[in-house]
Every structure is written in C-alpha cells, then in structure tokens.
C-alpha cells in the first residue's frame, strides 16, 4: 500500500539509504533552498533538516528528486494506475489480458475519499509566522510554501466531485500582508481554482480555501497532475496512493486530509487583492510583483510530528522536472485520445515547459497530393493550443509522423529540430496567433498574461540542406558580432543591448535581417537567434532552448531575412531571425547568493553532512 503520511515516507527513504539527516543549524532563508538545489543537481538523496533556525518544525526536501526515488514512493500503485489509463484508451485490453487488471476495482474504490471525524492534523493549532519561513532566492518578496496543495470546491456544486486540488503559489510573509492574518494566493490563468473563484465572485460570496502541506505523497503528485476539467484530483490521489484519502470535515469549512502535516484554512473575500511577489520561478527568472487574491487566515493546524516538505524552483532542470517526467510516463498513451491525430507531445523542460511544445501528428488530409504540406497538422496544432495545459504553449513545433525517419521523435530534441528545419517552408508554414493569453509567468509578451503564439508545422520531403559552415560575406551591422554555428541550420549572433519599450519591434533587428540578405550561404540557416551572449547560448542545447524560447515573443521578436506580409500572412523567403535578448521589460534572471553558496560548500567539505554528495 502507498504511504499515508510524510513520516512513513521519510522512514522508508531512510531505510533505503535514500535520505540523510542534516543536524547542523540551517537557515530557511536562502540556505535551505541553496542546499536543496545543489543536492538535486548532484543526484543526491532526500534531505531532513532537523535543526531549522528560529523554527521548531523540521523541513524535508528533495523527496522527489530522482527518478528512482519517484518510482520507489509509488511502486505499489504506478503500474495499476498506468494500466487503468491504458484501459481508458482501449477497454478491450481488459478482455485480452484480464490478469493485468485484477487490481482495477480496488483501485477504483480507493479513489473515493473517506470521511473521518478527526485526524492527526487536527492535534495542534499554530500561526502562520510559526511555520518555516522558506525564502529560496535573494530577491524573493517573502517566505513561500513551495509544495502546497491548494483545495477548493465549486460554490455551485460543493463536494469532492466538484473540487480542485492545485499547486499554486502561497506567500506567507512580506509585502503588505498582515502578519498571521493574511497570505497571498497566486494562481495562473487556465487553472481549476479560477473557475471556483469566478463562481464565488458571481455570487458575491467569499471563496473557502484550504492549503495542505505534507501528508500522503500522492496528494502532492495529484496537485500537479494536469487532469481533464471535471475530474477531481482528490480521486487521483487515492488511486495513486493506494488507499482512500481520509478527510476531516471542519465545521463550517472545507475538508482536511487527516494525515496532512499542516493545513492553513481561510477565505478569499470578493475584491480582496494585494501585491504578491517577486518570486524566483520555474522559467529561471523572477516573476515580479502584481496584485493577486488575499487569503484571510481562519486557522492553522498541524500534527504532533509535523514535517514541512519543500522544494525550490528555478531555471530547469529542478525537482519539479521529475514530476513532469513521471506524469509523462503515466499519460503518454492517452495523448491520441485527448488530441485526435496527435501521437506524442513534449513540453520542453529546458525551455521552462510552457514556452516550447514539440509534437508529432498525422498528415492525412490529401494523401494523393504531389507535394505534401501541413494541413491536418494545423488542425492538430490548434487543438493543442485550445485544450488543457498545452493551451499555454507559446511555440508549438509539430511534425508529420509519416515523415519521421527511424528513431526520430519529439523527445530527441537535436534530431527533431533538424527534421523541422530541413522541411519547413518559411513562406507558408509559420502561423501566428497575436494578442492572446500566455502563461502568467512569461514576461516576454506585451503585458501580463498577454502575448502571441507561433504554430510551426512541417511536412513533406526535405526542402534544403542545413549548413554547418559559417556563411561568407557576413557584414553585420554595428552592435552585432560573434556569430556562431550552434547546430545544423541554426546560427547564433551576439546583439547589442535591447533598449526598446514593450510591444515595440526593434529597427536594429530589421537592419540585421537586411544585412543578412547579402551573406552567401545564409539560406542554409533557416533559424538565426540573436542573444546577449552568443557563446553562452551556443554552449549546449539546454542554454539554447532556455535563452531562445523564454526571452522571445513570436509576434514581436521574429524577423525575416527577405521577410514579407501578404494578406495578413507573414513569411520569410530565406530565414527567420529570433530576437532572444533580455528585454528592458523582462524580469531579471535568477542568480544564487554567493555567501549562501559558500556555506553550502562548507557542508560539503570533509566532515560535513554533504561530503561526497555535492
């Protein structure tokens, strides 16, 4: 059976040699997060901080920090849940291989939460200021909960069936929040809690919210699971946890998991917003201060042996990368059933997940055509941009499965880019959606939550041979220098510092595009990227993907060598040029605290608890 609480989970990991205790005094401000990131990058164990400065609660980190550990935590249920998802895809599987689905009825039973009168989480009452005050990055606006499970129910249809469990940002201190009375609640667009909040606002009523920390690890996984709208995450948590989730009904409030370590109960009043942030986020930048809902705190509960699980987020890869990989394992076979004609998708972690989506679809609309071109692929791409979390994607690159050579798929990023760049018709195959909604955390757009998207489709035979030799006769305009070949067909150039305002194109980029027309061989580089540091950008694929797709808005920042606009369609006859410089309006990238890094180094020195790990 799955683990029911954090202590069970920690004990099992320690027995497996997958956890170490850090008894040295550690500050939750900056140091704890710096330690977690360093240990994660080293592929190290889970961590239990037993001596947190100024706080009586221990903290645990890196619980989900390796693929091995993730599978260990869910080893009793992962195969059954995967088979159940396959069963949804093809019910005949149960008739073909009934022995594989023997646990299915019991798993279905586990999805139903169990109502209980009380539980360990209700043993004690505390205050927000007594909780661990984790500050992960130097410019963070205050302390944050980084593994919260935010629970709401539909005001129109209360109950578990209409509930939402999501991992939304929770700010415990800082800014204008009243100490112990208020916390910030930052949720992004396209999130389930937004529907519940809208229903409450329509009724002019407060929205009840519970924030759980710890408990069954399946609850944490459920909070990040991109389930279809209408399917409650609490049901998935039971299936993944291998047991019915016991829920305590607090009189006049929402239910609380009996085995949670902590619970913050509160209400969001109509019209109650305050500045929230900044916060170092998973794109690798700070998300800046903006008004978001305020939760009025009614009560804070904790169990006797409470432990505060946490992670830190930053430029990928981080611990949340493992959640994405694990979720892909569970759901890969469901992609064709959710998106007809789409065979696989890859939200690229190195690019911050939402900025770049790679996909493979079918191109069957005109099988008799002499020259195949994207048609069904465009339908597939629009479906991806209109459903579930893939709708937040900024760049969608989609290839036809019929054209893929043996072994090429959208998880082989170098091969996939080469495939796309060999086949794209830049005069036809770039389709922009302008002034639309984008990820709240993406500051490349024209305003908060607003920017553009690019659907980049390619089908048919190769149209060009990609170059790996620098074009000759490159007379770059003033401020542009250091051109480098990054990969076949991809050129990176250092550009001058960006000085334009938001929602403006840069004449300097137009001059570059015009100058490149004269370069002999530039047609072998259909993708040209301009960056602040060409050497850094061209170091490896992780750097290239992060810089290119987190620092550009398609409509504002793409230019063309021999570019044109015809009947509102934009294209380029020779090459597309992406302006991936940091803009004047971008949020600053995350930088570690040098002094904190020195303290982490000391823990890794001989005799220290992290010696041999970092």
């Amino acid at each position: 059976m799955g683990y029911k609480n954090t202590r069970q989970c920690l004990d099992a990991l320690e027995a497996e040699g997958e956890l170490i205790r850090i008894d040295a005094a550690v500050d939750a401000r900056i140091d704890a997060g710096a330690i977690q990131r360093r240990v994660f990058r080293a592929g190290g164990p889970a961590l239990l901080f037993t001596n947190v400065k100024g706080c009586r609660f221990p903290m645990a980190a890196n619980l989900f920090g390796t693929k091995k550990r993730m599978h260990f935590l869910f080893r009793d249920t992962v195969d059954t849940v995967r088979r159940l998802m396959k069963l949804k895809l093809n019910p005949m599987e149960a008739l073909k291989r009934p022995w594989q689905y023997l646990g299915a009825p019991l798993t279905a039973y586990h999805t139903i939460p169990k109502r209980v009168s009380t539980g360990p989480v209700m043993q004690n009452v505390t205050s927000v200021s007594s909780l661990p005050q984790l500050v992960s990055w130097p410019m963070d606006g205050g302390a944050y909960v980084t593994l919260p499970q935010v629970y709401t129910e539909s005001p129109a249809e209360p109950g578990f069936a209409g509930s939402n469990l999501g991992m939304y940002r929770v700010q415990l201190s800082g800014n204008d929040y009243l100490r112990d009375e208020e916390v910030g609640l930052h949720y992004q667009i396209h999130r389930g809690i937004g529907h519940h909040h809208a229903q409450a606002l329509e009724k002019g009523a407060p929205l009840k919210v519970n924030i759980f920390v710890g408990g069954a690890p399946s609850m944490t996984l459920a909070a990040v699971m991109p389930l279809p709208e209408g399917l409650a995450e609490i049901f998935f948590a039971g299936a993944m946890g291998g047991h019915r989730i016991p829920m305590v009904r607090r009189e006049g409030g929402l239910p609380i998991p009996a085995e949670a370590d902590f619970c913050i109960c509160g209400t969001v009043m109509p019209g109650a917003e305050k500045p929230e942030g900044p916060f170092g986020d998973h794109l690798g930048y700070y998300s800046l201060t903006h008004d978001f809902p305020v939760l009025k705190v009614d009560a804070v509960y904790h169990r006797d042996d409470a432990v505060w699980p946490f992670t830190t987020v930053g430029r990928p890869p981080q611990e949340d990368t493992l959640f994405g990989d694990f979720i892909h394992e569970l759901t890969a076979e469901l992609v064709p059933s959710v998106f007809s004609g789409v065979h696989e998708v890859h939200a690229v972690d190195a690019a911050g997940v939402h900025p770049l989506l790679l996909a493979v679809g079918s191109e069957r609309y005109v099988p008799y055509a002499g020259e195949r071109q994207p048609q069904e692929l465009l339908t597939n791409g629009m479906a991806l941009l209109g459903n579930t979390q893939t709708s937040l994607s900024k760049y969608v690159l989609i290839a036809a499965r019929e054209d893929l050579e043996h072994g090429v798929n959208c998880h082989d990023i170098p091969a996939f880019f080469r495939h796309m760049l060999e086949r794209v018709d830049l005069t036809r195959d770039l389709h922009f959606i302008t002034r639309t909604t984008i990820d709240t955390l993406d500051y490349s757009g024209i305003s908060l939550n607003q920017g553009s998207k690019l659907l980049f489709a390619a089908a048919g035979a190769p149209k060009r041979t990609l170059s790996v030799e620098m074009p000759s006769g490159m007379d770059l305009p003033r401020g542009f220098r250091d051109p480098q070949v990054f990969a076949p067909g991809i050129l990176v150039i250092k550009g001058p510092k960006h000085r334009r305002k938001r929602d403006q194109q840069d004449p300097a980029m137009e001059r570059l595009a015009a100058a490149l027309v004269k370069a002999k061989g530039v047609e072998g580089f259909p993708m040209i990227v301009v960056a602040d540091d060409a050497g850094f950008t061209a170091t490896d694929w992780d750097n290239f993907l992060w810089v290119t797709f987190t620092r550009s808005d398609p409509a504002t920042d793409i230019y063309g060598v021999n570019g044109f606009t015809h009947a509102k369609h934009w294209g380029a006859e020779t090459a597309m040029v992406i302006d991936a410089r940091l803009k004047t309006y971008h949020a600053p990238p995350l930088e570690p605290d040098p002094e904190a890094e020195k303290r982490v180094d000391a823990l890794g020195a001989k005799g220290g608890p992290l010696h041999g790990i970092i």
Side-chain angles (χ1 to χ4, degrees), residues 138-274:
M139 288 173 54
D140 281 359
Y144 283 85
V145 188
T146 56
L147 285 177
Q149 308 152 31
V150 181
Y151 181 85
T152 56
E153 292 183 359
S154 166
E157 299 180 51
F160 294 127
S163 68
N164 179 76
L165 185 72
M167 193 166 287
Y168 312 124
R169 215 158 75 199
V170 177
Q171 185 172 349
L172 298 178
S173 65
N175 297 351
D176 298 327
Y177 298 120
L178 299 178
R179 178 183 169 93
D180 291 328
E181 296 180 26
E182 297 175 335
V183 300
L185 183 58
H186 173 135
Y187 65 83
Q188 298 160 252
I189 58 175
H190 295 268
R191 306 297 182 182
I193 189 176
H195 303 305
H196 294 171
H197 197 187
Q199 290 174 353
L201 291 173
E202 187 176 348
K203 297 172 68 174
L207 177 69
K208 295 177 182 178
V209 180
N210 281 354
I211 300 165
F212 317 136
V213 180
S218 65
M219 289 286 286
T220 300
L221 179 64
V224 298
M225 191 73 183
L227 297 175
E229 188 175 339
L231 181 58
E233 291 83 3
I234 192 74
F235 296 159
F236 176 82
M240 203 71 213
H243 65 278
R244 296 177 67 189
I245 303 296
M247 301 291 287
V248 179
R249 173 70 71 170
R250 176 172 170 260
E251 187 173 350
L254 296 175
I256 302 171
E259 294 286 350
D261 289 81
F262 299 88
C263 179
I264 302 171
C265 302
T267 52
V268 175
M269 304 302 294
E273 292 94 30
K274 282 190 175 182

Side-chain angles (χ1 to χ4, degrees), residues 324-377:
D325 290 346
F326 190 66
I327 288 168
H328 173 74
E329 286 185 39
L330 292 175
T331 60
E333 289 191 85
L334 287 178
V335 168
S337 68
V338 177
F339 304 105
S340 178
V342 178
H343 305 288
E344 58 177 326
V345 295
H346 179 194
V348 180
D349 183 70
V353 180
H354 293 317
L356 178 62
L357 181 73
L358 309 182
V360 174
S362 290
E363 186 50 72
R364 303 164 297 188
Y365 276 4
V366 190
Y368 51 83
E371 180 186 352
R372 295 170 58 253
Q373 67 182 61
Q375 294 180 78
E376 185 178 5
L377 288 182

Side-chain angles (χ1 to χ4, degrees), residues 295-324:
L295 184 75
K296 181 182 179 296
V297 177
D298 300 326
V300 182
Y301 300 99
H302 73 89
R303 59 189 296 148
D304 285 340
D305 58 351
V307 178
W308 186 267
F310 77 94
T311 190
T312 55
V313 291
R315 181 189 161 184
Q318 300 288 347
E319 188 175 6
D320 55 358
T321 300
L322 275 298
F323 281 114

Side-chain angles (χ1 to χ4, degrees), residues 46 92 111 138 244 256 289 303 318 328 338 344 367 407 409 455 468 492 501 528 540 544 552 556 563 568 602 608 610:
M92 291 300 293
T111 65
R244 296 177 67 189
I256 302 171
T289 303
R303 59 189 296 148
Q318 300 288 347
H328 173 74
V338 177
E344 58 177 326
N409 59 67
L455 176 56
V468 293
V492 179
K501 294 181 180 179
I528 300 170
D540 54 34
F544 174 80
S552 63
T556 305
K568 301 183 178 64
L610 299 179

Side-chain angles (χ1 to χ4, degrees), residues 94-111:
L95 298 179
K96 293 178 182 177
R97 302 173 181 85
W99 58 87
Q100 291 188 355
Y101 299 94
L102 294 177
L106 183 59
T107 300
Y109 173 70
H110 289 157
T111 65

